[in-house]
Amino acid sequence: GAGVSQSPRYKVAKRGQDVALRCDPISGHVSLFWYQQALGQGPEFLTYFQNEAQLDKSGLPSDRFFAERPEGSVSTLKIQRTQQEDSAVYLCASTTGGREAFFGQGTRLTVV
Amino acid sequence: AQSVTQLDSQVPVFEEAPVELRCNYSSSVSVYLFWYVQYPNQGLQLLLKYLSGSTLVKGINGFEAEFNKSQTSFHLRKPSVHISDTAEYFCAVSGLKTSYDKVIFGPGTSLSVIP
């Protein structure tokens, strides 16, 4: 596609519900990042994939957060048993490795 | 590990006036530096990047930034701002690993252009 696509754009979840956020990177981009952006803050790194391999998951805040990219293209960020502190915008970015990351518009998650 | 400081959380400026958004970084290794802009309800768009070479980097929309290694700074400037420049600006840093290094973002500066 022309850019990084994320879905849904908005998600409201009841506390305790599981959610899945999808990222379609730019075709051919090897690297994929997930970031969490709380209101009024800068993006915080969550995890990184190179093709299907998850090489860095040091930013995942708890074991309730899980990410996968099984075929090296589309990625899914899953949050189990959501809590209010999980409310944020989740950004996905992809890159060819040339250090310019292309970002999607994000998914705004609100946990009520 | 790297970190980024943006001392000004909010910068109001009149239209057609110059602006400087400050960024300082901390790193034990050489780095790449970036400025991203985020418009309301949008993702992040790259304004400019410093990888190597000339320390003065020109980007889109008339912005430029200067890398100062001794002061560990990468301030963003524009000589004359427009209303459309109102947005959130993020400075970011990435370490010079051979394969990849995650991009670390600062807390952001909210630029408000006043008509």
Side-chain angles (χ1 to χ4, degrees):
Chain A
V4 178
S5 178
Q6 291 187 246
S7 61
R9 286 292 314 278
Y10 303 91
K11 176 69 179 178
V12 178
K14 291 184 178 180
R15 191 170 54 184
Q17 185 180 352
D18 297 350
V19 298
L21 313 179
R22 177 187 170 103
C23 173
D24 279 272
I26 294 173
S27 178
H29 278 196
V30 169
S31 299
L32 186 146
F33 299 80
W34 282 98
Y35 285 83
Q36 179 190 59
Q37 186 177 19
L39 188 64
Q41 303 293 319
E44 297 281 346
F45 171 81
L46 293 177
T47 187
Y48 163 73
F49 289 87
Q50 189 174 82
N51 295 307
E52 69 279 2
Q54 188 176 20
L55 299 186
D56 187 343
K57 53 182 181 180
S58 61
L60 295 176
S62 78
D63 59 7
R64 296 186 296 103
F65 286 71
F66 172 76
E68 61 183 6
R69 194 185 185 198
E71 298 179 359
S73 54
V74 172
S75 177
T76 303
L77 176 67
K78 297 179 179 178
I79 309 173
Q80 297 177 324
R81 304 181 303 282
T82 52
Q83 300 177 7
Q84 284 193 321
E85 60 262 32
D86 299 335
S87 295
V89 175
Y90 291 84
L91 295 166
C92 175
S94 70
T95 173
T96 58
R99 300 290 176 166
E100 179 175 351
F102 294 85
F103 282 83
Q105 291 186 306
T107 294
R108 183 179 297 276
L109 173 65
T110 304
V111 181
V112 298
Chain B
Q2 294 85 39
S3 66
V4 179
T5 303
Q6 292 180 250
L7 290 175
D8 305 306
S9 59
Q10 294 184 334
V11 173
V13 62
F14 286 104
E15 191 175 15
E16 297 184 5
V19 69
E20 178 179 83
L21 306 183
R22 296 182 292 169
C23 171
N24 289 88
Y25 69 93
S26 172
S27 177
S28 58
V29 300
S30 297
V31 296
Y32 298 128
L33 293 157
F34 310 85
W35 275 98
Y36 282 84
V37 60
Q38 187 175 36
Y39 300 103
N41 297 316
Q42 299 292 318
L44 292 144
Q45 180 183 4
L46 183 70
L47 273 179
L48 48 78
K49 61 185 175 184
Y50 172 78
L51 303 183
S52 64
S54 173
T55 56
L56 182 62
V57 180
K58 293 188 183 296
I60 62 171
N61 300 341
F63 284 93
E64 64 179 32
E66 185 156 19
F67 170 54
N68 187 318
K69 187 174 182 179
S70 63
Q71 296 186 3
T72 60
S73 68
F74 191 55
H75 301 330
L76 181 70
R77 301 185 185 98
K78 186 170 183 178
S80 175
V81 295
H82 302 289
I83 295 292
S84 59
D85 293 324
T86 294
E88 195 80 18
Y89 291 81
F90 294 96
C91 182
V93 63
S94 176
L96 276 173
K97 279 188 181 178
T98 54
S99 57
Y100 109 96
D101 209 333
K102 54 186 171 247
V103 179
I104 305 298
F105 288 86
T109 296
S110 179
L111 175 64
S112 297
V113 180
I114 305 163

